[in-house]
Amino acid sequence: MKDNTKEKNKKAKKPKEKKVPLTPEQRKKTAVRWVLDIICIILGSTSYSMGLHCFSAPNGIAAGGVAGISTLINAVADINVGILYGIINVPLIIVGFIFLGKKMMIKTFLSVSVTTLMTDYGLSFVPVYQDGDKMLAAIFAGIFFGLGLGVVYLREGTTGGTDIINKLINRKYPHFSLGAIMLGTDAIIITASIFVYGTLEAGLYAIIAIFISSKVMDMILYGSYEGKMLLIFSDKYQEISEYVMKNLDRGVTWLNATGAYSEKSKQVICCAVHKSEYSKIKRKVKEIDPKAFIIISNAGEVLGEGFHANE
């Protein structure tokens, strides 16, 4: 006789997990968070639109992404940049709904809508920087783009376009910063701008704008949480640890180690500090033990007690 137990188990439906209703306090926090998200996304998208409307598009700087593609098409077909931006984003938003989830893409749809409207209509009263120094145009386009992208990304949204692709790549390879990924995905658009405008300068100015944008964005996303990780090798590890804990209020971990040459056991101090604090520790360690060996490395983000909350 055949054992149909497995087949029955496969056919059996799994009971649906009951959602635990939110408490009034949790609902209030969620509502406040969404309001903040919406405000920040509108402000960030407006900043992005400012860079596009006032600096990059009028000066023929295709600074990557859908904004860059829209700028190139505008130069050839004379269609409004904002309208192009909205149309090109439609299929990308659909892809985003599939892979990035509804919450993020609702915010992305808001961002794309604001950018589309602001670029063509909302910022019509703002003076456009044109026929001036293109270097200034590239610099300020990059600043406004970076501010906009950074603020929108902070609230777990995107400005659409290649930002969606950048997010997908960053999710798969989190050790690459969003700024670095953005530089990579924009290379094709930069190359295309050289052919569309018929001059190498168009691509060079676009590179400047994108580089500045990536640096400003990374500063907003990672700057406030960036820190230093220290590994301190010293026989006076107790005295050094006491200084770090009492004077800087930082936690310290002792790692058991064995010297390969001396074959002696020793304690290695491991601690994470803010960028502004590591120079104090370095100076103090040298005072306590001039022979101390210190390894200092950059920490892209430091989360936890004493730093940014790990949400």
Side-chain angles (χ1 to χ4, degrees):
M1 291 179 68
K2 292 183 179 179
D3 186 8
N4 296 324
T5 307
K6 291 183 179 180
E7 292 181 8
K8 289 179 180 179
N9 288 337
K10 286 181 181 179
K11 292 179 181 179
K13 293 182 180 179
K14 293 182 179 179
K16 292 183 179 180
E17 294 182 1
K18 292 183 179 180
K19 291 184 179 180
V20 180
L22 298 176
T23 64
E25 187 177 350
Q26 288 175 325
R27 283 198 295 268
K28 184 179 178 182
K29 285 183 179 179
T30 301
V32 170
R33 189 177 300 163
W34 267 101
V35 170
L36 287 174
D37 287 347
I38 291 170
I39 292 172
C40 288
I41 287 169
I42 290 174
L43 291 175
S45 301
T46 301
S47 174
Y48 190 84
S49 302
M50 186 82 73
L52 180 59
H53 172 76
C54 299
F55 298 101
S56 67
N59 292 280
I61 301 172
V66 170
I69 296 171
S70 302
T71 301
L72 294 178
I73 296 175
N74 172 261
V76 176
D78 196 27
I79 303 173
N80 287 353
V81 174
I83 292 174
L84 287 168
Y85 185 86
I87 292 172
I88 296 171
N89 267 297
V90 172
L92 294 170
I93 289 175
I94 294 171
V95 171
F97 266 108
I98 296 171
F99 293 103
L100 295 177
K102 293 181 181 179
K103 184 179 178 182
M104 178 180 288
M105 296 318 300
I106 288 171
K107 295 176 182 178
T108 298
F109 179 77
L110 172 63
S111 176
V112 170
S113 300
V114 172
T115 301
T116 299
L117 293 173
M118 283 292 181
T119 301
D120 282 348
Y121 308 106
L123 297 175
S124 57
F125 63 93
V126 179
V128 174
Y129 185 81
Q130 195 171 13
D131 300 324
D133 188 342
K134 282 201 172 185
M135 179 63 78
L136 281 176
I139 291 171
F140 279 94
I143 291 172
F144 280 105
F145 283 151
L147 285 172
L149 289 169
V151 171
V152 172
Y153 279 152
L154 272 178
R155 306 313 298 186
E156 298 180 352
T158 75
T159 55
T162 53
D163 292 347
I164 296 172
I165 299 171
N166 293 340
K167 274 281 187 181
L168 290 170
I169 295 172
N170 181 249
R171 178 170 290 186
K172 187 171 180 62
Y173 304 103
H175 51 283
F176 290 122
S177 73
L178 283 169
I181 295 169
M182 187 175 72
L183 283 172
T185 55
D186 289 339
I188 296 173
I189 299 169
I190 293 171
T191 304
S193 70
I194 296 173
F195 291 100
V196 171
Y197 292 109
T199 171
L200 182 62
E201 286 186 347
L204 296 177
Y205 285 128
I207 290 172
I208 292 170
I210 292 171
F211 179 78
I212 292 173
S213 173
S214 69
K215 291 301 178 183
V216 173
M217 183 180 69
D218 279 350
M219 182 178 66
I220 293 172
L221 289 175
Y222 309 115
S224 59
Y225 310 145
E226 190 177 348
K228 299 283 184 179
M229 188 184 78
L230 285 79
L231 293 175
I232 304 170
F233 301 78
S234 172
D235 292 333
K236 299 181 179 180
Y237 62 91
Q238 290 178 319
E239 189 176 346
I240 294 170
S241 299
E242 188 176 350
Y243 168 78
V244 174
M245 291 186 290
K246 287 187 176 180
N247 292 275
L248 298 178
D249 195 27
R250 292 292 171 210
V252 169
T253 300
W254 290 345
L255 306 177
N256 294 320
T258 303
Y261 179 77
S262 65
E263 296 185 353
K264 291 182 179 179
S265 297
K266 57 181 67 179
Q267 299 292 332
V268 178
I269 299 171
C270 177
C271 64
V273 297
H274 283 300
K275 290 187 295 183
S276 59
E277 296 171 331
Y278 90 95
S279 58
K280 298 177 185 177
I281 295 179
K282 184 172 66 173
R283 186 168 56 249
K284 188 65 178 180
V285 168
K286 288 300 179 184
E287 288 179 11
I288 296 173
D289 183 6
K291 295 182 180 180
F293 187 78
I294 309 172
I295 298 176
I296 302 169
S297 60
N298 290 322
E301 285 187 278
V302 183
L303 305 175
E305 188 176 351
F307 295 89
H308 187 257
N310 190 3
E311 296 178 354

